[in-house]
C-alpha cells in the first residue's frame, strides 16, 4: 500500500448536524465547508480559532486587536459569499492541535446532541484527524471526513514533489503518536 494512500481518508458528503473546519489552512479548508453548506449538507459551520502567536497576545494585552485568519475567513463567508452570520461560528476556546480540537468539538456535540459531524482538513491529515475525532466522539456521533478542494496532495505520487513528501513524513509520526495515545 502506498504511504500517501494510507494517510488519506475522504468520505462522500452526507447530511450532518454541523461542519467543523480544522485549523492549519488560511483559505483552502473553509472553502470546502462553504461548498458543503451551500449544498445543504449542514446548517452551521464551525471554525477552529487556532492558537495565538506570542506577539498577538502581547498586542491584545495592550488593548490592540489583530484580526486572526479565522475572523477574516468568517467575515468573507458572511459579507462576500452570502452565508448568514448565524451559520458561521468560531469556537470560543483557543486550540493548538487536532486532539484539542476534537475535545472542543466533543463538548459542543454533546451539548447540542449531534448525531453526524463533517470535518474538513488537509488530505494528508485526514486519517489522523478522523482517528482523533472518532476516539473522542465515540459511537455516538458519525464522522464524515472531507479534504480541502484546493489541496493538491497526491497520495499516489507523494514522493514526486517536495511539499507532498514533507507532508507525508510529517503525518506518519503524528498518526503513530495518536495511535499510541500520545496525541492528546
Amino acid at each position: 500500500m502506498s504511504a500517501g494512500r494510507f494517510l488519506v481518508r475522504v468520505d462522500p458528503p452526507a447530511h450532518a448536524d454541523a461542519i467543523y473546519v480544522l485549523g492549519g489552512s488560511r483559505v483552502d479548508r473553509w472553502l470546502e465547508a462553504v461548498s458543503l453548506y451551500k449544498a445543504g449538507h449542514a446548517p452551521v459551520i464551525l471554525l477552529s480559532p487556532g492558537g495565538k502567536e506570542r506577539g498577538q497576545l502581547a498586542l491584545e494585552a495592550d488593548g490592540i486587536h489583530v484580526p486572526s485568519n479565522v475572523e477574516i475567513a468568517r467575515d468573507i463567508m458572511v459579507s462576500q459569499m452570502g452565508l448568514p452570520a448565524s451559520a458561521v461560528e468560531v469556537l470560543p476556546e483557543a486550540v493548538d492541535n487536532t486532539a484539542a480540537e476534537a475535545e472542543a468539538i466533543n463538548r459542543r456535540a454533546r451539548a447540542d446532541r449531534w448525531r453526524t459531524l463533517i470535518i474538513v482538513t488537509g488530505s494528508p491529515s485526514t486519517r489522523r484527524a478522523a482517528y482523533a475525532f472518532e476516539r473522542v466522539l465515540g459511537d455516538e456521533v458519525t464522522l464524515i471526513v472531507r479534504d480541502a478542494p484546493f489541496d493538491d496532495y497526491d497520495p499516489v505520487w507523494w514522493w514526486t514533489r517536495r511539499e507532498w513528501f514533507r507532508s507525508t513524513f510529517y503525518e506518519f509520526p503524528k498518526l503513530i503518536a495518536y495511535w499510541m495515545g500520545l496525541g492528546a
Side-chain angles (χ1 to χ4, degrees):
M1 179 184 286
S2 165
R5 280 189 223 168
F6 181 72
L7 293 175
V8 178
R9 169 188 162 180
V10 178
D11 302 321
H15 185 74
D17 297 298
I19 302 164
Y20 178 66
V21 181
L22 280 79
S25 165
R26 186 161 183 255
V27 176
D28 291 350
R29 295 177 185 181
W30 60 260
L31 283 175
E32 174 68 357
V34 169
S35 176
L36 291 164
Y37 174 85
K38 287 184 173 182
H41 290 292
V44 65
I45 297 171
L46 291 103
L47 303 171
S48 170
K52 293 185 178 183
E53 295 178 359
R54 289 187 297 204
Q56 183 181 3
L57 293 170
L59 286 171
E60 286 180 1
D62 289 338
I64 301 169
H65 178 70
V66 178
S68 66
N69 285 343
V70 73
E71 289 172 310
I72 294 167
R74 184 183 185 282
D75 182 58
I76 291 169
M77 285 186 230
V78 172
S79 68
Q80 297 179 42
M81 298 181 83
L83 274 65
S86 61
V88 186
E89 301 177 28
V90 177
L91 284 182
E93 64 261 34
V95 290
D96 67 354
N97 63 62
T98 306
E101 290 181 289
E103 290 291 344
I105 284 296
N106 184 43
R107 288 188 287 279
R108 179 67 182 271
R110 303 283 179 232
D112 291 351
R113 294 189 162 104
W114 291 346
R115 303 301 304 147
T116 306
L117 172 67
I118 299 170
I119 63 170
V120 182
T121 189
S123 292
S125 61
T126 51
R127 183 165 308 278
R128 179 176 54 84
Y131 179 78
F133 275 76
E134 287 173 340
R135 178 176 64 183
V136 172
L137 296 171
D139 294 336
E140 295 177 35
V141 179
T142 301
L143 189 68
I144 299 167
V145 182
R146 302 292 299 163
D147 62 350
F150 294 102
D151 183 342
D152 68 347
Y153 178 79
D154 189 328
V156 175
W157 299 100
W158 60 267
W159 68 89
T160 63
R161 285 185 32 193
R162 181 181 176 159
E163 65 269 23
W164 296 344
F165 185 88
R166 185 180 320 136
S167 293
T168 301
F169 278 91
Y170 282 171
E171 275 304 316
F172 260 105
K174 290 180 183 180
L175 180 58
I176 292 168
Y178 274 66
W179 282 343
M180 293 175 64
L182 304 175

